[in-house]
Amino acid sequence: MRIDLLTIFPGFFDGPLDTSLVATAREQGHLDVRVHDLRDWSTDRHRSVDDAPYGGGAGMVMRPDVLVAAAESIWNDLAPGEPVQPPLHVAGGERPRTVLLTPRGRPLTQALVRELAGEDRLVLLCGRYEGIDERVHELVATDEVSLGDYVLMGGEVAAAAIVEAVVRLLPGVLGNAESAVQESFEHGLLEHPHYTRPAEFRGHEVPEVLRSGDHGAIAAWRHERALERTRAVRPDLLEPTDGPG
Ligand code: SAM
């Protein structure tokens, strides 16, 4: 899979992209990730990417000319400044899934992560300041995604979360593919508790059943605990969803 990250803080991704499974996925060729500085598409000598909001109000707004030009270049594998004609053209047809990170977007869930992990290419566009000009939402975004119901300073943390969550689902990335299907949210439940040695630690014992070797009893115990935890912390996950069937 290829992921392009568009940001005004390219250095932000140095750690997340060079750590743990993401670094390994890159080394092993499962992931081609490219970080782009949005300022490279700015056309003024201050390399500005923002301007004052129409209608007044606090904060600055990210400019449509800069962000749309960046998306067009990246869709077509062109360098900043190379013209794209006609506007919004995408070589070879459809534009790649282009995700704009925004608090007003669709919440990032494991179901959405799975959907994104099925793509060949992703483009993740990180906002800053007061937000992004609405024309960028209209012209380039195929998706708007939110990390949660809170406001971050920028989209970089949300983009890094998408990269981590997506990359671990790519074929060949997780050592044990089973662990990806047994996790929280994959069956509509939070995950059961885990234990390792020692069997007793500071007065807290590993449940007997996990030491019994009875795989049926272990599976039943884990399911019960997962249900219990979900009921207590995330009852919304147990509510029936709308839709066919
Ligand atoms: N004024 C905006 C609002 O009220 O929705 C918030 C702007 S925020 C300070 C700047 C940028 O951070 C946004 O453009 C977006 O890219 C990113 N951001 C903030 N919170 C986010 C969230 N929960 N999920 C994804 N991106 C977020």
Side-chain angles (χ1 to χ4, degrees):
M1 167 184 260
R2 170 170 160 190
I3 303 180
D4 290 275
L5 297 157
L6 282 78
T7 171
I8 58 167
F9 294 119
F12 177 94
F13 292 100
D14 290 351
L17 296 180
D18 290 329
T19 306
S20 183
L21 285 178
V22 178
T24 313
R26 296 176 71 192
E27 280 156 23
Q28 295 181 343
H30 301 296
L31 173 68
D32 170 7
V33 64
R34 306 178 192 189
V35 184
H36 309 272
D37 186 344
L38 280 166
R39 292 190 192 282
D40 291 345
W41 281 271
S42 175
T43 48
D44 65 73
R45 65 191 176 91
H46 301 294
R47 288 168 52 83
S48 62
V49 295
D50 59 315
D51 208 337
Y54 271 111
M60 301 293 272
V61 176
M62 294 188 89
R63 287 165 41 172
D65 54 338
V66 176
L67 272 60
V68 171
E72 287 175 326
S73 301
I74 282 154
W75 290 339
N76 292 290
D77 272 331
L78 297 174
E82 279 190 74
V84 174
Q85 286 302 336
L88 300 172
H89 169 79
V90 181
E94 272 183 34
R95 71 183 106 154
R97 200 91 179 244
T98 302
V99 177
L100 205 153
L101 283 321
T102 164
R104 80 177 201 200
R106 180 176 164 193
L108 184 65
T109 60
Q110 190 65 14
L112 176 54
V113 167
R114 214 162 252 296
E115 202 183 302
L116 297 176
E119 300 287 331
D120 291 333
R121 272 193 77 177
L122 287 179
V123 178
L124 306 182
L125 185 46
C126 306
R128 282 270 157 179
Y129 312 114
E130 219 26 60
I132 296 175
D133 186 286
E134 190 64 21
R135 273 79 54 92
V136 181
H137 292 258
E138 293 163 0
L139 293 170
V140 309
T142 59
D143 298 74
E144 296 178 353
V145 174
S146 166
L147 195 58
D149 291 344
Y150 37 79
V151 179
L152 301 163
M153 288 188 276
E156 288 77 10
V157 167
I162 292 181
V163 172
E164 282 225 1
V166 162
V167 168
R168 59 197 300 289
L169 295 186
L170 299 181
V173 170
L174 279 191
N176 175 5
E178 267 299 284
S179 54
V181 292
Q182 284 176 359
E183 283 172 326
S184 291
F185 309 113
E186 287 295 348
H187 301 291
L189 296 177
L190 300 180
E191 204 186 33
H192 57 77
H194 295 285
Y195 293 91
T196 185
R197 279 181 288 229
E200 194 267 353
F201 180 70
R202 300 197 180 179
H204 290 245
E205 288 207 358
V206 175
E208 190 60 47
V209 62
L210 297 181
R211 294 180 274 161
S212 67
D214 179 340
H215 296 294
I218 291 171
W221 181 90
R222 285 180 168 163
H223 183 69
E224 262 316 302
R225 297 292 80 72
L227 257 180
E228 205 173 82
R229 185 171 285 197
T230 308
R231 255 187 232 116
V233 183
R234 292 290 307 277
D236 56 298
L237 293 178
L238 298 171
E239 283 164 15
T241 50
D242 294 337

